[in-house]
mmCIF file of all heavy atoms in Angstrom:
data_model
loop_
_atom_site.group_PDB
_atom_site.id
_atom_site.type_symbol
_atom_site.label_atom_id
_atom_site.label_comp_id
_atom_site.label_asym_id
_atom_site.label_seq_id
_atom_site.Cartn_x
_atom_site.Cartn_y
_atom_site.Cartn_z
ATOM 1 N N THR A 233 19.630 9.719 10.815
ATOM 2 C CA THR A 233 19.716 11.099 11.146
ATOM 3 C C THR A 233 21.115 11.692 10.989
ATOM 4 O O THR A 233 21.938 10.819 11.012
ATOM 5 C CB THR A 233 19.355 11.412 12.547
ATOM 6 O OG1 THR A 233 20.113 10.526 13.409
ATOM 7 C CG2 THR A 233 17.808 11.004 12.931
ATOM 8 N N THR A 234 21.247 12.972 10.833
ATOM 9 C CA THR A 234 22.536 13.507 10.661
ATOM 10 C C THR A 234 22.799 14.519 11.822
ATOM 11 O O THR A 234 24.006 14.971 12.004
ATOM 12 C CB THR A 234 22.480 14.336 9.342
ATOM 13 O OG1 THR A 234 21.466 15.354 9.342
ATOM 14 C CG2 THR A 234 22.439 13.449 8.141
ATOM 15 N N SER A 235 21.927 14.682 12.688
ATOM 16 C CA SER A 235 22.159 15.595 13.988
ATOM 17 C C SER A 235 22.858 14.723 14.986
ATOM 18 O O SER A 235 22.680 13.649 15.145
ATOM 19 C CB SER A 235 20.879 16.068 14.633
ATOM 20 O OG SER A 235 20.099 16.714 13.689
ATOM 21 N N VAL A 236 23.885 15.406 15.533
ATOM 22 C CA VAL A 236 24.729 14.727 16.587
ATOM 23 C C VAL A 236 24.719 15.543 17.786
ATOM 24 O O VAL A 236 25.058 16.693 17.924
ATOM 25 C CB VAL A 236 26.219 14.730 16.018
ATOM 26 C CG1 VAL A 236 27.059 13.846 17.026
ATOM 27 C CG2 VAL A 236 26.147 13.920 14.659
ATOM 28 N N GLY A 237 24.403 14.730 19.037
ATOM 29 C CA GLY A 237 24.387 15.494 20.294
ATOM 30 C C GLY A 237 25.570 15.111 21.156
ATOM 31 O O GLY A 237 26.462 14.510 20.783
ATOM 32 N N THR A 238 25.486 15.519 22.469
ATOM 33 C CA THR A 238 26.566 15.203 23.380
ATOM 34 C C THR A 238 25.992 14.824 24.718
ATOM 35 O O THR A 238 24.865 15.094 25.137
ATOM 36 C CB THR A 238 27.383 16.444 23.617
ATOM 37 O OG1 THR A 238 26.532 17.553 24.068
ATOM 38 C CG2 THR A 238 28.109 16.986 22.261
ATOM 39 N N VAL A 239 26.896 14.316 25.591
ATOM 40 C CA VAL A 239 26.649 13.988 27.015
ATOM 41 C C VAL A 239 27.770 14.424 27.759
ATOM 42 O O VAL A 239 28.997 14.087 27.199
ATOM 43 C CB VAL A 239 26.421 12.476 27.221
ATOM 44 C CG1 VAL A 239 26.094 12.149 28.670
ATOM 45 C CG2 VAL A 239 25.259 11.864 26.510
ATOM 46 N N THR A 240 27.599 15.188 28.749
ATOM 47 C CA THR A 240 28.861 15.549 29.574
ATOM 48 C C THR A 240 28.379 15.532 31.131
ATOM 49 O O THR A 240 27.140 14.962 31.440
ATOM 50 C CB THR A 240 29.326 16.951 29.180
ATOM 51 O OG1 THR A 240 30.643 17.149 29.877
ATOM 52 C CG2 THR A 240 28.374 18.080 29.431
ATOM 53 N N ILE A 241 29.195 16.103 31.817
ATOM 54 C CA ILE A 241 28.849 16.160 33.333
ATOM 55 C C ILE A 241 29.193 17.427 33.880
ATOM 56 O O ILE A 241 29.890 18.299 33.353
ATOM 57 C CB ILE A 241 29.682 15.043 34.217
ATOM 58 C CG1 ILE A 241 31.226 15.138 34.038
ATOM 59 C CG2 ILE A 241 29.284 13.609 33.789
ATOM 60 C CD1 ILE A 241 32.012 14.275 35.019
ATOM 61 N N ASN A 242 28.460 17.779 34.986
ATOM 62 C CA ASN A 242 28.907 19.049 35.757
ATOM 63 C C ASN A 242 29.196 18.752 37.118
ATOM 64 O O ASN A 242 29.446 19.660 37.967
ATOM 65 C CB ASN A 242 27.786 20.181 35.633
ATOM 66 C CG ASN A 242 26.398 19.727 36.125
ATOM 67 O OD1 ASN A 242 26.386 18.668 36.701
ATOM 68 N ND2 ASN A 242 25.514 20.529 35.997
ATOM 69 N N THR A 243 29.244 17.419 37.417
ATOM 70 C CA THR A 243 29.680 16.948 38.766
ATOM 71 C C THR A 243 30.107 15.508 38.686
ATOM 72 O O THR A 243 29.700 14.791 37.749
ATOM 73 C CB THR A 243 28.486 16.944 39.774
ATOM 74 O OG1 THR A 243 28.855 16.215 40.902
ATOM 75 C CG2 THR A 243 27.259 16.350 39.161
ATOM 76 N N THR A 244 30.959 15.197 39.602
ATOM 77 C CA THR A 244 31.487 13.730 39.513
ATOM 78 C C THR A 244 30.487 12.924 40.336
ATOM 79 O O THR A 244 30.887 11.597 40.465
ATOM 80 C CB THR A 244 32.925 13.632 40.006
ATOM 81 O OG1 THR A 244 32.910 14.195 41.346
ATOM 82 C CG2 THR A 244 33.911 14.196 39.077
ATOM 83 N N ASP A 245 29.516 13.407 40.825
ATOM 84 C CA ASP A 245 28.596 12.658 41.731
ATOM 85 C C ASP A 245 27.640 11.776 40.811
ATOM 86 O O ASP A 245 26.795 12.452 40.079
ATOM 87 C CB ASP A 245 27.679 13.599 42.593
ATOM 88 C CG ASP A 245 26.618 12.918 43.387
ATOM 89 O OD1 ASP A 245 26.638 11.729 43.300
ATOM 90 O OD2 ASP A 245 26.077 13.617 44.252
ATOM 91 N N LEU A 246 27.812 10.555 40.823
ATOM 92 C CA LEU A 246 27.072 9.622 39.851
ATOM 93 C C LEU A 246 25.605 9.641 40.211
ATOM 94 O O LEU A 246 24.783 9.010 39.410
ATOM 95 C CB LEU A 246 27.728 8.250 39.871
ATOM 96 C CG LEU A 246 28.746 8.074 38.663
ATOM 97 C CD1 LEU A 246 27.931 7.757 37.397
ATOM 98 C CD2 LEU A 246 29.707 9.123 38.473
ATOM 99 N N SER A 247 25.203 9.976 41.426
ATOM 100 C CA SER A 247 23.791 10.000 41.769
ATOM 101 C C SER A 247 22.972 11.171 41.013
ATOM 102 O O SER A 247 21.817 11.219 41.062
ATOM 103 C CB SER A 247 23.589 10.007 43.249
ATOM 104 O OG SER A 247 24.002 11.265 43.782
ATOM 105 N N LYS A 248 23.773 12.119 40.494
ATOM 106 C CA LYS A 248 23.121 13.168 39.643
ATOM 107 C C LYS A 248 23.089 12.782 38.209
ATOM 108 O O LYS A 248 23.832 12.003 37.740
ATOM 109 C CB LYS A 248 23.915 14.414 39.838
ATOM 110 C CG LYS A 248 24.142 14.897 41.248
ATOM 111 C CD LYS A 248 22.846 15.523 41.814
ATOM 112 C CE LYS A 248 22.960 16.118 43.125
ATOM 113 N NZ LYS A 248 23.156 15.174 44.330
ATOM 114 N N ASN A 249 22.201 13.309 37.384
ATOM 115 C CA ASN A 249 22.041 12.966 36.056
ATOM 116 C C ASN A 249 23.231 13.672 35.276
ATOM 117 O O ASN A 249 23.672 14.678 35.633
ATOM 118 C CB ASN A 249 20.837 13.543 35.471
ATOM 119 C CG ASN A 249 19.616 12.615 35.886
ATOM 120 O OD1 ASN A 249 19.763 11.394 36.042
ATOM 121 N ND2 ASN A 249 18.483 13.194 36.084
ATOM 122 N N PRO A 250 23.636 12.903 34.096
ATOM 123 C CA PRO A 250 24.646 13.600 33.377
ATOM 124 C C PRO A 250 23.875 14.736 32.504
ATOM 125 O O PRO A 250 22.590 14.739 32.543
ATOM 126 C CB PRO A 250 25.045 12.552 32.382
ATOM 127 C CG PRO A 250 24.012 11.542 32.356
ATOM 128 C CD PRO A 250 23.289 11.613 33.740
ATOM 129 N N ILE A 251 24.575 15.690 31.810
ATOM 130 C CA ILE A 251 23.924 16.741 31.102
ATOM 131 C C ILE A 251 23.787 16.178 29.632
ATOM 132 O O ILE A 251 24.981 15.927 28.957
ATOM 133 C CB ILE A 251 24.845 17.956 31.084
ATOM 134 C CG1 ILE A 251 25.351 18.289 32.493
ATOM 135 C CG2 ILE A 251 24.148 19.160 30.359
ATOM 136 C CD1 ILE A 251 24.385 18.746 33.394
ATOM 137 N N LYS A 252 22.579 16.117 29.152
ATOM 138 C CA LYS A 252 22.427 15.657 27.777
ATOM 139 C C LYS A 252 21.975 16.730 26.891
ATOM 140 O O LYS A 252 21.085 17.452 27.230
ATOM 141 C CB LYS A 252 21.333 14.518 27.776
ATOM 142 C CG LYS A 252 21.633 13.330 28.679
ATOM 143 C CD LYS A 252 20.296 12.470 28.741
ATOM 144 C CE LYS A 252 20.335 11.874 30.142
ATOM 145 N NZ LYS A 252 19.012 11.395 30.511
ATOM 146 N N ASP A 253 22.639 16.760 25.700
ATOM 147 C CA ASP A 253 22.108 17.705 24.728
ATOM 148 C C ASP A 253 21.916 16.896 23.401
ATOM 149 O O ASP A 253 22.814 16.798 22.585
ATOM 150 C CB ASP A 253 23.148 18.820 24.510
ATOM 151 C CG ASP A 253 22.752 19.958 23.521
ATOM 152 O OD1 ASP A 253 21.561 19.681 22.992
ATOM 153 O OD2 ASP A 253 23.398 20.863 23.337
#
Side-chain angles (χ1 to χ4, degrees):
T233 56
T234 57
S235 300
V236 181
T238 58
V239 179
T240 189
I241 56 172
N242 58 5
T243 166
T244 55
D245 181 353
L246 263 284
S247 67
K248 303 284 187 291
N249 286 325
I251 315 290
K252 303 168 211 163
D253 182 2

